[in-house]
Amino acid sequence: MLTDIEIAQQAKMKDITEIASSLGISSSEIDPYGHYKAKISDDVLNRLKNKKDGKLILVTAVNPTPAGEGKTTVSIGLGQSMAKIGKNAIIALREPSLGPVFGIKGGAAGGGYSQVVPMEDINLHFTGDMHAITSANNLMCAMLDNSIQQGNELNIDPRRVQVKRCLDMNDRALRNIINSLGGKLNGIPREDHFCITVASEVMAILCLANDIFDLKKRLGDILVAYTYDGEPVYCRDIKANGAMTVLLKEAIKPNLVQTLENTPVIMHGGPFANIAHGCNSVRATKTALKLADYTITEAGFGSDLGAEKFLDIKCRFAGLTPSCIVLVSTVRSMKYNGGVAKEDLKEENVEALKKGCVNLGAHIDNLKKFGVPVVVAINHFYADTQAEIDFVEEYCKSKGADFAVTKCFAEGGAGGVELAQKVVEACEKENNFHCLYDLDMPVYEKIETIAKEIYGADGVDYTKEAKAAIDGFVKLGADKMPVCMAKTQYSLSDNPKLLGKPEGFRITVSSATLSNGAGFIVCQTGSIMTMPGLSKSPAAYRIDIDENGNTVGLF
């Protein structure tokens, strides 16, 4: 079979004006970036604001394993499959980060015959949104340090700076640094840090802002530092939010692209779900809901991270109601959770399935707590046997979830027709969507509710530093905010080695930060790096230009 990039390079793409036209968008309502990608004008959402929303379908997954689950591939394939059965559908996804592209995980444009194109552009610089977010964040940091240097009229304590510079690249050397060395002209030396762009609060704000003016207000609300007297200093106090908004005025516009089968796709924003809220932008989702009868969107990593935050943070803020949740899993992931080594996953092993299916079961149970119909999508791999598929189908039925096998990777839209039909049926079922917790609940109860109800923990412990930080945020008036948990994606617990459905464990909150502009408190558990590092053999080793000038090795 051809590689992902070879398939993408052979795609027969339509001009982006044609894709826009299929959605009822005129050429004057888009800003093309070449022939195959464009920004969608604010005029579109304004024109359609009174139109009834379509159905919202959330695609999530079980905890990721080394075998790969293919959540984005299924999301794209489902969109193509909806078109195959005659449904007016659009896909709304996150943008890739260069960190995973050159690191281990790879891009975020799908795979096989369920890809978004132009794949190379999307996985690399795309329309420049990541660069704009990076620039806006770092302008804020530069103006903060300049305020300290130029007389420090705000009385900022350099030891209590709350924001980090960012870079859209895995670079562990920048995690902890000392800046402003070299003498008086170079500023006041202090400890500083970098995070990856997708972990920045600016990224979260861009994805939650309703419009450019809401964006400016939220940027102004960023808690940047404390004074020597312990008083908060906000981004508006250092007069940075206006210029930051100007840097982001194009980036806030959603991007329009297409799949290999010319299904429309809106890709916009890209916060990670293990260290941020993991959803594409509110503007992208709301635009998609006005443009089609069905919108397929995804949340990052497993449902314990991405889906919980999508439902408790994004849906709450944006007033969204999902009609159906698709939970992606694989036979291989269940066998891995059942104790089978990665190299042995191709062998039939129903006994391991029986042990490992509890991870899938936990995710089904968790999602049903939100009151939305659940459909399990088993992403098919060539080594899956009928006996294994039959067992998983019966297990899903016993858990009260619909079930479909998808072959979108190998067959594109044709491989997901059964799933599309099940999803359409689920969208018409009774829906009692509700968030997991009420905002009036005390912060510590919100954290404990997530830990017990979603992770299956017995309780929550806090380091002295984390508790002091949370108590301080409550004093600032953040007690009515939702909680964004930063946790390993590999386990329901905060220990990546505990597979399946862990029991008898407690969650430890090691630190906490306030994303005041985004509107939530971030609680870090375990060892979560907001600036990832490269592996011993990163994907960058294999990405190159061949003798014909074509990109190779990108996936």
Side-chain angles (χ1 to χ4, degrees), residues 153-195:
E153 292 182 3
L154 296 173
N155 199 31
I156 294 169
D157 185 346
R159 299 164 302 178
R160 300 196 66 190
V161 170
Q162 301 296 297
V163 290
K164 299 178 181 180
R165 287 171 163 82
C166 70
L167 185 71
D168 189 32
M169 193 64 64
N170 292 357
D171 193 347
R172 64 169 57 84
L174 294 177
R175 286 174 185 161
N176 303 293
I177 64 171
I178 301 296
N179 68 17
S180 304
L181 298 180
K184 185 176 180 180
L185 291 177
N186 294 323
I188 307 298
R190 67 175 180 86
E191 180 181 357
D192 201 1
H193 311 272
F194 270 77
C195 65

Side-chain angles (χ1 to χ4, degrees), residues 1 4 7 59-61 67-82 91 93-94 105-116 119 123 259-261 263 265 267 296-299 326 328-330 377-381 406-417 419 555:
M1 184 174 174
D4 289 350
I7 292 170
V59 180
T60 185
E69 282 61 57
K71 170 166 54 67
T72 302
T73 299
V74 172
S75 300
I76 297 164
L78 175 58
Q80 294 181 149
S81 301
M82 295 290 271
I91 306 165
L93 303 175
R94 296 174 298 160
K105 187 173 178 287
Y113 288 92
S114 290
Q115 294 189 59
V116 181
M119 179 263 229
N123 279 326
T259 71
L260 292 172
E261 297 179 12
T263 305
V265 181
M267 296 190 81
I296 297 99
T297 191
E298 70 167 356
V326 176
V328 179
S329 185
T330 63
I378 297 298
N379 192 13
H380 187 270
F381 284 77
T406 67
K407 299 181 180 180
C408 310
F409 182 90
E411 301 176 11
V417 167
L419 174 61
F555 71 102

Side-chain angles (χ1 to χ4, degrees), residues 265-285:
V265 181
I266 296 179
M267 296 190 81
H268 194 222
F272 286 167
N274 56 344
I275 51 182
H277 73 283
C279 316
N280 72 340
S281 77
V282 165
R283 288 185 65 79
T285 303

